[in-house]
Amino acid sequence: MTMLTLYGTKGSGSAAIEAALARAGLAYTGVDAASWNPGPGRDELLRVNPLGQIPTLVLADGTVLTESAAILIHLGLAAAPGLLLPIDAGARARVLRGLVYIAANCYAAISVIDYPERWCEPCDDAMKGQIRAGTRARLHEHWRLFADQFGIGFNAGSPGALELLATVVSKWSGARAMLQAERPSFFAQLLRVEQHPEVAAVFQRHWP
């Protein structure tokens, strides 16, 4: 795999993909792009992904990959066996479940918190506040359950696709502060992932 193009921006979910690419030793060209940042990067992003969502990864043959979990699964299948996805079938099934869990429950909630007006009509400021508060509470519950179900076996010493996605997505909407207070051992594992020598530069670049 060569000539990969990754669309993303600082502090976004593209950090998980950058970290996975770093772990796999795969070179790529980065395009600074986000739906909220007008400019040529966004225009180019919209041409390959009309939703304007990041991360978006374009493969050498022009195939467009969207959705963080799908991108990480693809990279896990393309990288050296066992690097991003476990070789053992049972362990791999658990990781795939965890990736989709984050995408369906945690990542999806962030979209509601960021853009509550997309989910109600009409939607005044008071309604937006109520939606954000309720969604944030639910998001934190999803992270409690994730920590309880996936904390054992979370391989911070050799982070794969699941560890990288969890470490990035947990940075938003107060999830880290909640985990530090209520699930401190899992919180410590997330910090270990950030400090892994192969991905530390990625996290430092996104969250200096």
Side-chain angles (χ1 to χ4, degrees):
M1 287 175 56
T2 58
M3 298 173 57
L4 300 171
T5 302
L6 176 63
Y7 296 83
T9 198
K10 186 180 291 186
S12 74
S14 61
I17 310 307
E18 289 179 35
L21 291 166
R23 287 277 285 139
L26 297 172
Y28 67 94
T29 298
V31 178
D32 188 13
S35 61
W36 57 88
N37 287 336
R42 184 177 71 174
D43 296 341
E44 187 176 337
L45 170 65
L46 289 170
R47 283 194 289 272
V48 296
N49 182 1
L51 282 175
Q53 293 176 339
I54 52 174
T56 290
L57 184 69
V58 180
L59 306 184
D61 65 359
T63 299
V64 177
L65 268 171
T66 66
E67 319 311 322
S68 294
I71 297 171
L72 288 167
I73 291 168
H74 171 79
L75 293 175
L77 295 173
L83 184 68
L84 297 175
L85 293 175
I87 295 173
D88 175 77
R92 187 171 60 249
R94 177 181 171 278
V95 165
L96 296 178
R97 176 193 170 206
L99 289 170
V100 177
Y101 178 104
I102 293 173
N105 297 297
C106 304
Y107 220 145
I110 301 298
S111 178
V112 179
I113 292 168
D114 286 347
Y115 303 103
E117 66 276 6
R118 294 178 180 175
W119 312 99
C120 66
E121 181 63 39
C123 196
D124 58 21
D125 288 343
M127 181 63 73
K128 290 179 186 178
Q130 288 180 293
I131 292 173
R132 285 193 175 104
T135 307
R136 187 175 292 107
R138 188 62 185 167
L139 170 65
H140 290 183
E141 178 61 14
H142 289 323
W143 277 117
R144 291 185 192 95
L145 294 172
F146 183 90
D148 294 343
Q149 295 179 81
F150 295 94
I152 297 174
F154 198 80
N155 192 0
S158 183
L162 182 60
E163 289 80 15
L164 296 173
L165 189 61
T167 301
V168 169
V169 179
S170 64
K171 279 186 165 290
W172 304 324
S173 296
R176 284 288 185 91
M178 181 279 295
L179 289 168
Q180 183 177 21
E182 300 186 24
R183 301 294 190 275
S185 61
F186 181 68
F187 174 81
Q189 293 281 71
L190 297 172
L191 296 184
R192 283 190 65 202
V193 173
E194 291 184 5
Q195 295 160 7
H196 188 278
E198 291 180 349
V199 301
V202 173
F203 284 95
Q204 182 60 32
R205 183 167 63 250
H206 280 264
W207 293 278

